[in-house]
Amino acid sequence: MRHGKKINHLGRKTAHRKAMLANMASSLIEHKRINTTTAKAKALKQFIEPLVTKSKEDTTHNRRIVFSKLRDKYAVSELFREVAPKVGDRPGGYTRIIKLGNRLGDNADMAMIELVDFNELYNANGSTKKKSTRRSRRGGKNTSGSETASKQEESSTNEEE
């Protein structure tokens, strides 16, 4: 039975596991996405989500708490300067795990973990979204407002005949 076993130990001692997660979190903050095994990605998600939540409020106390977990001054400043303003309105779920298949060497399940707001492909409100234009069947270059007006005129002329 697995009562009360909430932490995946990842086959490592406590100090090794904490150091590995701190290094992976620093890499994720720096590069915005990293490839790793699925088990490590899930453990990293649980590790980094509270840190991103702390970074939303920029206080000295929160910076010290995050630094005690990450142990990387550059990653802490990057988290509070660039990542926190982008995720400020998001209530949680700052990371996304995408499964990639199996590794060739040892057939381990691989996954990509990324910060959600830094991927332009999956961003719903991306600023680089191409605006689509409506086209009529006739192939004319009417805008949507004049298109409806011309259709109403056509229908009125058809009714008169």
Side-chain angles (χ1 to χ4, degrees):
M1 289 186 273
R2 57 168 309 276
H3 295 306
K5 295 186 178 181
K6 294 183 179 179
I7 296 175
N8 186 357
H9 295 290
L10 302 171
R12 289 163 171 81
K13 302 281 186 185
T14 305
H16 186 187
R17 186 173 58 252
K18 285 183 179 178
M20 182 193 66
L21 288 173
N23 289 334
M24 289 175 65
S26 298
S27 296
L28 179 63
I29 291 167
E30 181 183 351
H31 299 293
K32 310 302 186 255
R33 96 175 37 140
I34 56 172
N35 290 343
T36 182
T37 62
T38 305
K40 285 182 190 173
K42 288 178 181 179
L44 180 61
K45 184 175 183 125
Q46 289 179 340
F47 180 82
I48 202 164
E49 296 263 343
L51 300 181
V52 177
T53 303
K54 290 270 186 209
S55 72
K56 285 176 161 184
E57 187 180 352
D58 192 3
T59 62
T60 306
H61 182 60
N62 284 346
R63 279 185 180 262
R64 286 178 177 164
I65 290 172
V66 171
F67 181 76
S68 72
K69 300 285 186 187
L70 285 181
R71 301 187 213 120
D72 185 3
K73 193 186 294 185
Y74 174 75
V76 172
S77 62
E78 177 95 1
L79 179 65
F80 278 86
R81 278 192 202 132
E82 294 182 20
V83 176
K86 256 195 162 171
V87 299
D89 56 343
R90 185 178 289 273
Y94 312 111
T95 57
R96 175 187 295 127
I97 296 176
I98 300 171
K99 301 204 175 167
L100 298 176
N102 296 343
R103 189 160 51 195
L104 286 177
D106 58 355
N107 209 28
D109 288 335
M110 296 299 288
M112 176 177 64
I113 183 167
E114 64 183 3
L115 294 172
V116 172
D117 291 323
F118 288 91
N119 188 344
E120 288 80 23
L121 296 176
Y122 291 117
N123 235 353
N125 55 359
S127 59
T128 59
K129 187 175 180 181
K130 183 181 175 186
K131 185 178 179 187
S132 62
T133 58
R134 291 184 59 183
R135 297 182 182 170
S136 66
R137 289 184 184 162
R138 293 176 293 157
K141 296 197 177 215
N142 294 335
T143 61
S144 60
S146 62
E147 214 173 284
T148 55
S150 62
K151 285 182 181 180
Q152 288 175 351
E153 290 173 11
E154 288 179 53
S155 62
S156 64
T157 56
N158 290 339
E159 291 173 1
E160 292 172 1
E161 293 175 359

